[in-house]
Amino acid sequence: MMQFMLLFSRQGKLRLQKWYVPLSDKEKKKITRELVQTVLARKPKMCSFLEWRDLKIVYKRYASLYFCCAIEDQDNELITLEIIHRYVELLDKYFGSVCELDIIFNFEKAYFILDEFLLGGEAQETSKKNVLKAIEQADLLQESQIEDWGSLPNEEIL
Amino acid sequence: MPAVSKGDGMRGLAVFISDIRNCKSKEAEIKRINKELANIRSKFKGDKALDGYSKKKYVCKLLFIFLLGHDIDFGHMEAVNLLSSNKYTEKQIGYLFISVLVNSNSDLIRLINNAIKNDLASRNPTFMNLALHCIANVGSREMAEAFASDIPNILVAGDTMDSVKQSAALCLLRLNRTSPDLVPMGEWTARVVHLLNDQHLGVVTAATSLITTLAQKNPDDFKTAIVLAVARLSRIVTSASIDLQDYTYYFVAAPWLSVKLFRLLQCYPPPEDGALRSRLTECLETVLNKAQEPPKSKKVQHSNAKNAVLFEAISLIIHHDSEPTLLVRACNQLGQFLQHRETNLRYLALESMCTLASSEFSHEAVKTHMETVINALKTERDVSVRQRAVDLLYAMCDRSNAKQIVAEMLSYLETADYSIREEIVLKVAILAEKYAVDYTWYVDTILNLIRIAGDYVSEEVWYRVIQIVINRDDVQGYAAKTVFEALQAPACHENLVKVGGYILGEFGNLIAGDPRSSPLVQFNLLHSKFHLCSVPTRALLLSAYIKFINLFPEVKATIQDVLRSDSQLRNSDVELQQRAVEYLRLSCIASTDILATVLEEMPPFPERESSILAKLKKKKGQSALPDIDDSRRNVNGSTEHSEITDTTNKSSPSLLKDLLATNRPRPSSFSPIMHFARTMDSTPSFTDMLSLSSAPTAGASLLVDVFSDSSTLTSVDVSEEHFPRFVCKNNGVIYENQLLQIGLKSEYRQNLGRMYIFYGNKTSTQLLSFTTSVTTNDVLKTQLNVHAKAVDTIVEGGAQVQQILNIECLSDFKDAPVLGIQFRYGGTLQNIAVKLPVMLNKFFQTTEMTSQEFFQRWKQLGAPQQEVQKIFKANHPMDTDVTKAKILGFGVALLDGVDPNPANFVGAGVIHTKNTQVGCLLRLEPNTQAQMYRLTLRTSREPVSQRLCELLSDQF
């Protein structure tokens, strides 16, 4: 089971955090600080897995963003790597060429998509179509009022 | 699609986020945030007519601020209000806020649960999913209490939408993890297994995780899952034509589901049914075959997904550990990955091979990759991969390759990353010990370890080398010579000085014949290091010096001069000063005989699990350590499988304390005899240094078993006349007749005890064929380990011989071991049997507590069976001081000021057994007029209360 997922930038700014185990805010901050530091210190060609405390860390960098998951001893590293990739694909499809800024300005959407994909630290729905269908249905339910503040230039993730 | 075409833009939120991003400094950011917080607070407080949109926007801003790492202490109520909004996005934001910022405020939880309840009942799948996601995200106990019984119904109801089933399954999984006691098992569990057959692969994916978790806890209830999982896997893996549509990921059919199904099967042994078993084998073979096929895509996602399934299949093969062909194929596949250009695959192959190495079917196959793994150690650029290589070398090591692997690890250690040095040191030390055929190699290896990585050599490692040298006399001379040579180096590590000091102190005499290592040379060499060492090492060296005085009378004067110098006698460190004073005094006034006895060579250490292994296990966690070949002979030449004793683990932190422990003499009455007596009473620090936690191993009871067969014992009455006298004291005479007097001195620490038995021959002729045995009955055997050291077979007229018993209390007990003695006197065989005073209360440790704590505990132990009370007549004069001394002697702390009546006695202590600790509270109320006592005992275990009451009530 995945214990948590963190998204952070090359500068070490946390962009999204999802915890599947109950921890105090203090503990969460400590873990985040420690892991961001550890992962950022690693060189590009190094392997995507590392042992950390009694967990396994699986991480991958997409453009300016690091996606970092903590899984348990029995869990499968490679499939977790592809969980990260599928999540990136979902974000990319939803936002259209997703970039870090999309996630900053629409963080709530990033959470909603994640909840459709993973729940309780396990894959709930791995079909891209089905996840996006659920999100789109929800979008249809909302008010029509949409405001636009112009597009912002940023590096694309995919 | 443009970045913001989706969702309802909240302009205010976007502006705020932009502002934050534009802040040039942390201070500016905090200022902006505080401004916003003030604004939101005033909006929430002031304007009653805040519309849903504004509320949503402000709640969202608060959430953003929280996610930036700031504390949020308001807005929860507004978020809860949003939950009951009929606008979906408002509800959604409300739920998000609650999920991220759970607050254990009970009023709020009630409101939240209410809203969730409504949404669950709404029959609107989108709303139901929101509610289920919230429960799964928060997973609190309150939510489990409220919903754990409803969710199974939603999950298995026929009319539930697929997406809701998926959420319900994982929601239930989360609740089962956090509050398993609240999730009721029942009729639904049988139906949930059948979700493995569901047409919707998303439902199967979610349900498989739930079923796996449930099956781990109750494998028997979910056995039907095996057939269904194999059938499902077989359809996914083996049928080429099946179209899984969107569940195919980069040309790999349902990789997530496949991984989960293989994982589910790892909850069970291989299927017994032949057909099922061959179907599963076919699946596994197909997965292995596919690994050899050319890739269908060059994308890394394709190979990752494919290999994820492959690794999970290999995990299952290893878990089953029953099909040699599959195991060897798995090993060969991993062997290919060891040389793969993808670092990730090399890492995982090393990791997975570690577990393969422990299977008897594949151990040899793993060994064929040794060169590759050694090469990885030298060439991998990533430390985490090198770490895996070290683990694998450790796991594949056996007698055939130990020398090479240890040599490679040692040479890697010279350049190894600091982060993994300590672990490598432990591993090398363990392998060197485990596979030593020739102990000179072992000694060389450990000294090399200290030379190369002295800072990373923990106490356990150098303790262990000393234990081994002391237990094996064939290596003692070599060890003395080798440390002597190693100490010649101008800069040697302090750990080497410790080992050197200890070994020369014990065995320096073995090399003293050579003028190059004469006693004086040895001493000067050690002393040249003295001033550079830390206090504990200096203390150890002082002990080595006093041992030298015994070994080499010719250097006595030199050493006395050193001890007498101001830097020793007036050392500011009290421990060093005390040792110097005591040792100097001892060397001046004790006769050579006494010196020889006090400073005798250390007796062999009782066999037990290597303290290093315990340390490594602690460091890595039990499961992470492949269990390498524990049935082989260990260093002490015993084939006994050494049990992993908790005691070793527990005592590790106190090693240093033991090293420094000294017994404090009373200067006024100090005499050699006193000192001698004291050494009997409580072994002096030096001898005790390494004999901590001397838990006798299973071998001890074997010894006892052999003796218990002797029929002689049964014919003798067991003397227990003096037994009760020892309840509250540890020393005294336990038995005496015209021929023999038996005295005892005992000491106990936690669950361990040591008893010194003194057999005094009262006659003027020899006692011949003198043998002793300690027997424990069948029940007691499981509760108490008693290990008796050998005793001389002849006791000279008028002489006294000593025997040592090591005692370990495993669990609480009632009976006592019996000491049987047999000897010949004047041609007749004498048999004596004595009940040994080893009682439960000996394993007490005192507990000080305040009156408040006492009564709190007293109340907690209020169940009827926990309390035992006895009213009895006084058999001795009712003297307060005598009573106090007896209660203290019983082993508990005497607590003053707890009982309102000062005439009563209150005590507290903890019984230490290997398996458990039992807290005990007692109260003794004397009634001098009636010459009666009332004794009340409360412990968490009824037999303990009973036994303690029996023992103590006899004493007054």
Side-chain angles (χ1 to χ4, degrees):
Chain A
M1 174 196 135
M2 188 184 292
Q3 293 214 346
F4 55 85
M5 183 194 262
L6 302 175
L7 266 63
F8 50 87
S9 70
R10 236 174 341 176
Q11 291 75 35
K13 289 245 183 206
L14 190 59
R15 295 304 181 203
L16 186 132
Q17 45 176 317
K18 186 76 188 180
W19 305 86
Y20 296 108
V21 283
L23 292 168
S24 68
D25 285 346
K26 204 176 145 201
E27 181 69 8
K28 287 178 186 170
K29 280 184 184 166
K30 190 167 164 253
I31 291 174
T32 308
R33 216 179 314 122
E34 216 176 302
L35 271 183
V36 168
Q37 217 174 26
T38 310
V39 170
L40 288 180
R42 290 176 63 86
K43 296 190 185 77
K45 287 279 172 190
M46 286 186 165
C47 88
S48 311
F49 319 125
L50 51 127
E51 268 187 349
W52 182 80
R53 300 192 188 175
D54 53 349
L55 298 175
K56 300 197 280 200
I57 302 297
V58 177
Y59 72 94
K60 185 158 180 177
R61 183 176 152 183
Y62 288 87
S64 58
L65 266 190
Y66 283 87
F67 290 70
C68 172
C69 300
I71 55 175
E72 292 166 356
D73 188 50
Q74 294 298 310
D75 292 327
N76 189 308
E77 290 97 337
L78 284 174
I79 207 72
T80 308
L81 210 47
E82 293 320 297
I83 281 195
I84 292 176
H85 188 75
R86 173 113 294 182
Y87 182 48
V88 173
E89 284 184 349
L90 288 166
L91 293 171
D92 194 62
K93 189 93 181 164
Y94 181 78
F95 288 108
S97 303
V98 67
C99 60
E100 192 183 337
L101 277 184
D102 293 321
I103 295 169
I104 297 171
F105 280 96
N106 302 285
F107 67 94
E108 78 283 10
K109 293 290 178 202
Y111 278 102
F112 298 147
I113 295 171
L114 189 57
D115 271 354
E116 291 293 337
F117 176 42
L118 298 180
L119 195 61
E122 303 281 357
Q124 174 181 208
E125 177 53 86
T126 60
S127 151
K128 201 155 58 171
K129 254 187 233 159
N130 288 352
V131 172
L132 291 173
K133 203 165 69 192
I135 296 289
E136 269 154 22
Q137 266 171 3
D139 280 346
L140 286 177
L141 284 170
Q142 71 199 9
E143 305 135 300
S144 56
Q145 180 196 6
I146 293 172
E147 291 166 280
D148 193 353
W149 64 84
S151 57
L152 293 151
N154 193 30
E155 201 177 353
E156 285 177 4
I157 284 180
L158 271 181
Chain B
M1 278 181 267
V4 288
S5 69
K6 296 280 180 171
D8 58 328
M10 286 175 273
R11 187 168 173 78
L13 175 66
V15 169
F16 174 60
I17 295 175
S18 292
D19 280 1
I20 295 289
R21 287 177 54 76
N22 290 333
C23 286
K24 294 277 182 282
S25 66
K26 194 81 197 158
E27 290 71 36
E29 183 185 306
I30 290 170
K31 212 174 147 197
R32 178 69 185 85
I33 284 168
N34 285 336
K35 187 180 150 201
E36 194 62 38
L37 285 174
N39 174 41
I40 299 171
R41 207 176 256 125
S42 75
K43 294 282 185 200
F44 283 169
K45 273 193 183 149
D47 197 348
K48 289 266 179 203
L50 210 55
D51 61 17
Y53 170 80
S54 310
K55 225 185 266 175
K56 177 184 81 173
K57 183 178 72 185
Y58 292 130
V59 165
C60 220
K61 280 184 180 176
L62 287 178
L63 192 53
F64 181 79
I65 294 170
F66 177 78
L67 290 171
L68 279 178
H70 301 271
D71 292 334
I72 294 295
D73 54 6
F74 69 102
H76 300 80
M77 202 57 195
E78 284 73 15
V80 174
N81 286 340
L82 286 177
L83 294 184
S84 33
S85 163
N86 50 10
K87 286 199 176 117
Y88 179 72
T89 51
E90 288 169 17
K91 194 188 271 294
Q92 203 182 19
I93 295 292
Y95 272 123
L96 180 60
F97 185 94
I98 301 296
S99 299
V100 177
L101 272 129
V102 234
N103 196 307
S104 56
N105 184 328
S106 58
D107 291 344
L108 231 43
I109 286 288
R110 222 187 50 231
L111 291 172
I112 295 167
N113 281 356
N114 230 353
I116 291 177
K117 199 163 235 130
N118 290 337
D119 283 333
L120 284 183
S122 70
R123 309 193 63 77
N124 173 335
T126 321
F127 286 8
M128 285 173 86
N129 274 339
L130 272 185
L132 288 169
H133 291 177
C134 181
I135 301 173
N137 281 325
V138 176
S140 69
R141 217 174 152 76
E142 291 88 346
M143 285 191 180
E145 275 163 4
F147 304 110
S149 50
D150 298 339
I151 297 171
N153 300 333
I154 298 177
L155 177 60
V156 295
D159 57 348
T160 305
M161 297 270 296
D162 290 332
S163 68
V164 177
K165 273 189 197 163
Q166 286 168 273
S167 303
L170 293 176
C171 188
L172 205 51
L173 166 62
R174 173 72 194 262
L175 294 185
N176 188 60
R177 279 204 180 114
T178 49
S179 319
D181 52 315
L182 295 178
V183 179
M185 293 294 140
E187 180 253 351
W188 66 275
T189 51
R191 295 173 65 184
V192 94
V193 175
H194 285 276
L195 290 177
L196 288 174
N197 263 340
D198 203 282
Q199 289 193 324
H200 191 285
L201 278 194
V203 172
V204 187
T205 305
T208 307
S209 293
L210 173 65
I211 295 164
T212 304
T213 306
L214 296 173
Q216 275 162 352
K217 287 178 185 159
N218 313 297
D220 288 343
D221 297 350
F222 293 87
K223 264 192 177 144
T224 42
I226 306 175
V227 189
L228 298 175
V230 172
R232 192 99 224 184
L233 257 178
S234 166
R235 267 178 282 160
I236 297 171
V237 171
T238 55
S239 54
S241 57
I242 200 164
D243 180 14
L244 299 175
Q245 292 168 343
D246 209 32
Y247 290 93
T248 299
Y249 179 82
Y250 291 86
F251 304 101
V252 182
W256 282 281
L257 180 55
S258 306
V259 166
K260 284 186 182 190
L261 289 169
F262 276 128
R263 178 82 189 274
L264 168 59
L265 291 171
Q266 287 171 59
C267 300
Y268 294 96
E272 279 159 24
D273 176 71
L276 188 61
R277 193 167 170 153
S278 61
R279 201 168 178 197
L280 178 58
T281 305
E282 192 195 351
C283 279
L284 293 167
E285 278 169 348
T286 313
V287 173
L288 286 168
N289 292 340
K290 279 187 181 166
Q292 299 301 325
E293 290 169 10
K296 291 181 181 148
S297 155
K298 284 210 171 91
K299 294 237 166 158
V300 68
Q301 283 76 28
H302 170 70
S303 70
N304 279 351
K306 190 166 133 182
N307 292 327
V309 177
L310 175 63
F311 274 105
E312 207 58 52
I314 292 177
S315 292
L316 181 62
I317 292 170
I318 297 173
H319 170 79
H320 283 170
D321 197 15
S322 62
E323 300 268 0
T325 18
L326 287 176
L327 281 159
V328 170
R329 279 195 69 184
C331 184
N332 294 340
Q333 181 60 55
L334 295 177
Q336 283 182 20
F337 284 154
L338 284 182
Q339 318 226 34
H340 203 278
R341 59 186 170 78
E342 277 267 331
T343 316
N344 286 346
L345 285 180
R346 295 198 304 274
Y347 177 95
L348 294 175
L350 288 165
E351 188 188 43
S352 192
M353 250 193 200
C354 253
T355 41
L356 264 183
S358 57
S359 162
E360 54 170 320
F361 300 118
S362 48
H363 183 77
E364 289 303 316
V366 170
K367 273 166 63 185
T368 59
H369 300 286
M370 184 170 75
E371 293 303 329
T372 317
V373 181
I374 288 172
N375 200 36
L377 199 58
K378 290 175 178 161
T379 56
E380 283 290 350
R381 277 184 295 176
D382 186 346
V383 55
S384 33
V385 185
R386 291 196 296 271
Q387 162 94 60
R388 289 282 82 86
V390 172
D391 288 350
L392 179 53
L393 283 179
Y394 178 76
M396 68 165 70
C397 191
D398 61 21
R399 204 173 288 283
S400 71
N401 55 20
K403 283 206 172 170
Q404 191 187 354
I405 286 180
V406 165
E408 291 294 349
M409 282 177 146
L410 271 177
S411 87
Y412 172 58
L413 193 56
E414 308 239 16
T415 53
D417 312 72
Y418 296 117
S419 56
I420 58 174
R421 281 194 183 188
E422 191 189 353
E423 202 185 307
I424 297 176
V425 168
L426 291 174
K427 287 185 164 152
V428 169
I430 290 167
L431 294 178
E433 176 184 336
K434 191 159 200 159
Y435 300 117
V437 183
D438 155 13
Y439 282 91
T440 57
W441 173 70
Y442 170 76
V443 170
D444 287 341
T445 304
I446 301 294
L447 292 183
N448 262 332
L449 268 185
I450 296 177
R451 184 180 56 76
I452 296 169
D455 284 344
Y456 299 89
V457 171
S458 55
E459 309 259 272
E460 287 83 354
V461 174
W462 73 263
Y463 285 168
R464 190 67 186 161
V465 68
I466 285 171
Q467 288 174 3
I468 286 168
V469 169
I470 284 179
N471 286 12
R472 300 197 58 98
D473 36 18
D474 54 335
V475 78
Q476 289 161 354
Y478 181 80
K481 182 169 160 281
T482 317
V483 291
F484 177 78
E485 280 161 11
L487 283 169
Q488 305 287 341
C492 53
H493 195 273
E494 192 168 334
N495 279 333
L496 181 67
V497 180
K498 290 177 185 162
V499 175
Y502 201 108
I503 288 185
L504 292 180
E506 293 290 322
F507 308 114
N509 53 330
L510 299 178
I511 55 167
D514 188 327
R516 285 167 299 175
S517 52
S518 71
L520 191 61
V521 175
Q522 286 185 39
F523 172 72
N524 285 336
L525 181 60
L526 280 181
H527 200 53
S528 67
K529 316 285 181 193
F530 187 90
H531 301 280
L532 301 168
C533 291
S534 63
V535 169
T537 308
R538 289 189 197 188
L540 185 151
L541 286 177
L542 288 178
S543 296
Y545 297 170
I546 187 73
K547 286 240 162 183
F548 268 22
I549 290 185
N550 177 45
L551 289 179
F552 315 120
E554 63 264 44
V555 295
K556 180 172 173 176
T558 316
I559 291 173
Q560 282 178 330
D561 282 346
V562 168
L563 292 175
R564 206 176 279 128
S565 70
D566 276 358
S567 62
Q568 308 294 355
L569 277 190
R570 300 187 180 188
N571 195 295
S572 59
D573 184 89
V574 66
E575 176 63 36
L576 293 179
Q577 190 186 104
Q578 186 169 358
R579 282 193 191 214
V581 171
E582 284 186 27
Y583 292 156
L584 181 61
R585 208 60 201 126
L586 180 65
S587 73
C588 292
I589 54 183
S591 72
T592 40
D593 281 355
I594 288 174
L595 267 186
T597 314
V598 174
L599 303 169
E600 198 183 3
E601 187 181 306
M602 284 292 291
F605 287 90
E607 236 190 84
R608 53 175 175 256
E609 188 197 27
S610 156
S611 47
I612 315 174
L613 203 56
K615 167 135 185 172
L616 186 65
K617 279 180 179 150
K618 208 160 132 193
K619 211 172 143 59
K620 295 283 281 182
Q622 286 281 30
S623 57
L625 248 193
D627 200 4
I628 46 167
D629 155 50
D630 30 49
S631 60
R632 286 181 211 173
R633 295 171 74 83
N634 64 20
V635 136
N636 294 305
S638 149
T639 43
E640 200 69 75
H641 169 89
S642 35
E643 287 290 311
I644 302 147
T645 49
D646 276 349
T647 43
T648 340
N649 255 333
K650 260 186 232 149
S651 59
S652 304
S654 64
L655 289 177
L656 194 66
K657 206 174 71 197
D658 281 32
L659 186 69
L660 294 173
T662 30
N663 27 42
R664 303 188 182 263
R666 283 158 296 186
S668 55
S669 61
F670 189 67
S671 73
I673 298 307
M674 271 298 300
H675 187 95
F676 182 59
R678 233 161 19 82
T679 56
M680 290 303 195
D681 254 339
S682 52
T683 340
S685 56
F686 184 67
T687 28
D688 204 25
M689 190 155 71
L690 293 145
S691 62
L692 11 111
S693 75
S694 39
T697 54
S701 46
L702 281 179
L703 190 67
V704 172
D705 286 351
V706 174
F707 282 113
S708 66
D709 288 339
S710 69
S711 55
T712 46
L713 266 183
T714 50
S715 58
V716 194
D717 284 338
V718 177
S719 157
E720 43 183 275
E721 182 193 353
H722 298 302
F723 183 86
R725 285 198 204 162
F726 285 80
V727 171
C728 296
K729 64 174 193 170
N730 286 329
N731 305 334
V733 172
I734 183 78
Y735 179 85
E736 187 157 15
N737 64 13
Q738 303 96 312
L739 307 177
L740 191 70
Q741 184 194 54
I742 305 176
L744 298 181
K745 287 176 191 287
S746 5
E747 44 181 304
Y748 293 87
R749 188 172 358 154
Q750 307 219 324
N751 70 321
L752 302 175
R754 182 171 293 173
M755 186 178 275
Y756 300 84
I757 308 177
F758 301 92
Y759 302 97
N761 182 350
K762 289 169 70 178
T763 72
S764 52
T765 47
Q766 286 182 331
L767 304 181
L768 295 169
S769 310
F770 190 86
T771 56
T772 68
S773 64
V774 178
T775 46
T776 44
N777 66 31
D778 288 343
V779 179
L780 189 58
K781 229 169 249 166
T782 62
Q783 300 164 333
L784 201 67
N785 269 337
V786 185
H787 177 218
K789 302 244 167 113
V791 66
D792 291 347
T793 52
I794 295 173
V795 186
E796 296 291 343
Q800 197 182 54
V801 296
Q802 179 194 328
Q803 184 177 28
I804 297 177
L805 293 190
N806 284 324
I807 303 157
E808 181 188 24
C809 176
L810 305 174
S811 64
D812 62 88
F813 61 98
K814 193 169 176 328
D815 301 309
V818 174
L819 173 68
I821 304 127
Q822 212 174 47
F823 58 89
R824 255 172 218 291
Y825 174 70
T828 50
L829 192 65
Q830 305 282 331
N831 275 321
I832 298 169
V834 180
K835 193 162 156 188
L836 280 179
V838 180
M839 302 103 164
L840 187 54
N841 64 296
K842 298 298 176 194
F843 301 96
F844 256 131
Q845 299 276 316
T846 58
T847 312
E848 293 293 341
M849 44 175 83
T850 63
S851 167
Q852 193 192 356
E853 287 162 346
F854 183 89
F855 283 109
Q856 198 181 353
R857 283 292 295 147
W858 186 262
K859 269 188 216 133
Q860 282 165 0
L861 296 170
Q865 68 277 18
Q866 295 176 326
E867 183 187 275
V868 171
Q869 193 170 72
K870 192 168 173 184
I871 297 168
F872 54 89
K873 202 153 180 56
N875 287 322
H876 302 280
M878 296 177 82
D879 181 291
T880 307
D881 287 335
V882 173
T883 308
K884 273 188 181 167
K886 281 183 176 164
I887 292 175
L888 286 171
F890 193 60
V892 295
L894 202 54
L895 305 177
D896 282 325
V898 171
D899 201 304
N901 179 354
N904 294 342
F905 305 92
V906 169
V910 176
I911 300 270
H912 286 253
T913 77
K914 188 185 166 197
N915 301 332
T916 175
Q917 300 191 351
V918 183
C920 167
L921 304 176
L922 69 86
R923 184 185 195 211
L924 180 72
E925 300 158 274
N927 181 338
T928 40
Q929 273 184 327
Q931 287 288 299
M932 299 283 280
Y933 286 101
R934 180 162 71 183
L935 174 64
T936 316
L937 273 136
R938 285 189 179 187
T939 78
S940 51
R941 283 179 53 78
E942 184 181 17
V944 175
S945 305
Q946 290 285 4
R947 182 61 183 150
L948 292 176
C949 186
E950 280 165 26
L951 287 168
L952 189 59
S953 57
D954 269 1
Q955 298 296 312
F956 301 102

